[in-house]
Amino acid sequence: MAAVQVSEAEKVYILHGIRDDLRVDGRGCEDYRHMEIETDVVSNTDGSAKVTLGHTAVLVGIKAEIGKPRPMVPDEGYLEFFVDCSANATPEFEGRGGEELGTELSNTLYKVFNNKHSVDLKSLCISTGEHCWVLYVDVLLLQCDGNLYDAISVAIKAALFNTKIPRVHISADDEGGKEIELSDDPYDCMRLNVENVPCIVTLCKVGHRHVVDATLQEKACSVASLIISVTHKGMVTCTRKVGGGSLDPESIFEMTEAGKRVGKALHAPLMKLLQQEESLGKKHQKVGFLG
Amino acid sequence: MAADMRLPTIRKPVSLSVSAFDRRDLVVPGDIITSDTGFMRGHGTYVDEEKLTASVAGEVQRVDKLICVRPLKTRFNGEVGDVVVGRITEVQQKRWKVETNSRLDSVLLLSSVNLPGGELRRRSAEDELTMREYLQEGDLISAEVQSVFSDGALSLHTRSLKYGKLGQGVLVQLSPSLIKRQKTHFHNLPCGASIILGNNGFVWLYPTPEQQEEEAGGFYTSLEPVSLSDREVISRLRNCLLALAAHKVLLYDTSVLYCYESSVQHQVKDILKPEVMEEIVMLTQQKLLEQEG
């Protein structure tokens, strides 16, 4: 992640501010910055979403392809994640500079979604052992201003909500094999149930307190962060500690509780906004990228 | 605690006040400025098939036979006497390299800073070895441009009690073209905080010191916790600056103060919401027009 330099005095100022629950931009320790979400921005994907959180901008595109299911679970489809850090975000990502961060982000996403409840994988099965839907989730980082995990998880949830998978009919072939036909009607598609898709909350430990949605300056003052993914019911699917500093067990417990609280509160307004956008229908003019 | 989520809205184009802008000639890259071959081409222009064309987006400036285009968004081009706020990036032999949002890092020579205690003497080898004790990588300073090197790099100096290392506060990074050139760039705002409007676009907000300290150029930085009321004022000012910058309003002490006063009825964290930003900036522009006319 692009790092900014802060002087000692600035660090002390930020630390004391967080201790008094008044951050540099006036937010409380558990407030998010202004978030803008839009779905269906990329026309040649099956589902897409763009999320802007402060100055962090993330674009997610989902493509559904037919593939062979994994040998251990022949009656389920699966998701593949790929995170690309664009050089637009910061010159450090030029060439192969963003690869390390991209791999770390996609590995975390695999861990977050690696359970039976997040996405109903059985609905992605076409014929057991032979064909299933594989959802390729591609994440593109357009701008980097701190708090990448949260923005990415919100964008993935919005994109999955927006994904339209075409319905298939399986018919017997002449030679006895199976033939797959995609439905001709472009509107005849299957939608995914994203109720249980988790959202990631990053909590940075600054001084003795933790902050949600840290800016790059606050990140420079923190030594360790906790990444926790929470579903709308408050169930935790993955926790991860990043950063070189240490966290003592009480603060990990405190941060986990705060993360669960904040994460649970994210889902309701997000679903409401997605349904509101859906109800606006085709008449609603998309803002896209140059708005 | 609730996250503010919403659908993005198309931003309305910034409305220009007619009186100030109809005299100006704004061009974009590729616009033909003139077909007359009698003019000399300056910065920001090139000749394309005998027509003088702009290569940057900005306003056309004509001085007798010389035409140049001054870009609206550019790196800081320093001139002698400009006040800048910069961050130390490197500590080298007998000088520091300072980042000031210009094309090249600016230079702060060891001989251009005040020694502790204000003594005037030749800098010794010992001074060179203890440079890092005074200014380290990452420290912020306020300085004045002493001269410009031939390659365009600025040479800074902190040879006055008002310049030097900066203590606790908030740095806001904006575009240099938004800062108005004034007599003084150090202001103690009546709302309870102080501001340094660097010509390079870096604006420093800090709590007003109780008594004017006598020590030479900020050698001692106080690490005492700043009071909550001062913090609120500084956060509000920071958000107001960002709101004004987003709407391309020229920044000087009066405009910042009017913006602060217009924002009082909103909560500090709400100022960055698009509709609140618009409202506040409109009120500020109205007040500024009233004051002018």
Side-chain angles (χ1 to χ4, degrees), chain B residues 129-145:
Chain B
L129 292 169
T130 54
M131 276 173 77
R132 197 168 254 111
E133 281 176 21
Y134 174 35
L135 288 174
Q136 275 195 325
E137 286 91 340
D139 279 342
L140 282 169
I141 55 161
S142 67
E144 194 179 298
V145 177

Side-chain angles (χ1 to χ4, degrees), chain A residues 177-190:
Chain A
K178 297 241 178 78
E179 192 178 292
I180 298 184
E181 279 168 30
L182 286 176
S183 158
D184 285 332
D185 182 4
Y187 293 107
D188 180 22
C189 47
M190 177 176 83

Side-chain angles (χ1 to χ4, degrees), chain B residues 148-161:
Chain B
V148 183
F149 287 116
S150 50
D151 58 0
L154 305 172
S155 177
L156 307 174
H157 77 88
T158 58
R159 279 277 201 184
S160 167
L161 291 178

Side-chain angles (χ1 to χ4, degrees), chain B residues 22-163:
Chain B
D22 55 48
R23 319 179 242 119
R24 292 203 194 166
D25 207 355
L26 296 172
V27 288
V28 290
D31 270 1
I32 297 170
I33 303 172
T34 176
S35 309
D36 193 346
T37 49
F39 288 103
M40 281 201 298
R41 59 176 183 81
H43 289 300
T45 64
Y46 65 98
V47 179
D48 183 30
E49 290 168 11
E50 292 180 21
K51 294 198 206 58
L52 202 63
T53 326
S55 62
V56 289
E59 59 170 304
V60 180
Q61 274 185 334
R62 215 195 106 207
V63 180
D64 287 345
K65 287 280 186 191
L66 176 71
I67 292 189
C68 55
V69 182
R70 214 157 51 97
L72 290 173
K73 184 179 165 191
T74 172
R75 290 246 174 199
F76 173 57
N77 289 324
E79 286 158 35
V80 178
D82 282 348
V83 173
V84 295
V85 172
R87 202 182 280 280
I88 308 288
T89 50
E90 277 177 57
V91 182
Q92 295 180 346
Q93 285 186 325
K94 286 208 186 68
R95 62 191 202 169
W96 290 273
K97 285 282 192 171
V98 184
E99 196 237 315
T100 53
N101 202 19
S102 10
R103 290 195 192 91
L104 292 168
D105 275 345
S106 307
V107 168
L108 177 64
L109 297 169
L110 178 57
S111 50
S112 308
V113 303
N114 282 334
L115 289 168
E119 34 178 331
L120 299 168
R121 59 171 169 78
R122 206 186 180 85
R123 304 290 187 269
S124 62
E126 202 193 320
D127 290 317
E128 207 178 316
L129 292 169
T130 54
M131 276 173 77
R132 197 168 254 111
E133 281 176 21
Y134 174 35
L135 288 174
Q136 275 195 325
E137 286 91 340
D139 279 342
L140 282 169
I141 55 161
S142 67
E144 194 179 298
V145 177
Q146 187 174 39
S147 60
V148 183
F149 287 116
S150 50
D151 58 0
L154 305 172
S155 177
L156 307 174
H157 77 88
T158 58
R159 279 277 201 184
S160 167
L161 291 178
K162 58 182 179 174
Y163 302 124

Side-chain angles (χ1 to χ4, degrees), chain B residues 218-263:
Chain B
F219 259 89
Y220 165 68
T221 44
S222 156
L223 294 176
E224 293 290 314
V226 175
S227 72
L228 199 61
S229 51
D230 279 345
R231 261 180 214 285
E232 246 195 77
V233 172
I234 291 177
S235 299
R236 190 177 281 280
L237 277 172
R238 175 204 179 261
N239 288 351
C240 286
L241 281 170
L242 290 173
L244 288 172
H247 289 260
K248 308 281 185 275
V249 176
L250 207 56
L251 294 170
Y252 53 110
D253 56 341
T254 319
S255 65
V256 175
L257 199 58
Y258 284 167
C259 192
Y260 180 89
E261 285 164 10
S262 318
S263 76

Side-chain angles (χ1 to χ4, degrees), chain A residues 1 25 70-71 83 95 108 116 121 128 166 175 189 206 221 232 235 266:
Chain A
M1 195 127 36
D25 48 6
R70 295 215 167 104
V83 180
T108 312
K116 292 201 181 302
L121 297 171
T128 314
E175 288 99 40
C189 47
V206 183
C221 302
H232 73 111
M235 191 170 79
L266 270 182

Side-chain angles (χ1 to χ4, degrees), chain A residues 28-77:
Chain A
C29 289
E30 294 185 357
D31 287 332
Y32 272 90
R33 283 171 287 181
H34 175 71
M35 213 185 300
E36 284 182 355
I37 303 164
E38 202 182 9
T39 59
D40 208 22
V41 281
V42 185
S43 51
N44 61 342
T45 52
D46 296 307
S48 60
K50 178 168 180 274
V51 168
T52 315
L53 175 62
H55 281 291
T56 303
V58 168
L59 176 67
V60 171
I62 299 187
K63 287 197 91 108
E65 312 244 327
I66 299 183
K68 212 159 151 50
R70 295 215 167 104
M72 303 292 279
V73 274
D75 60 343
E76 286 180 2

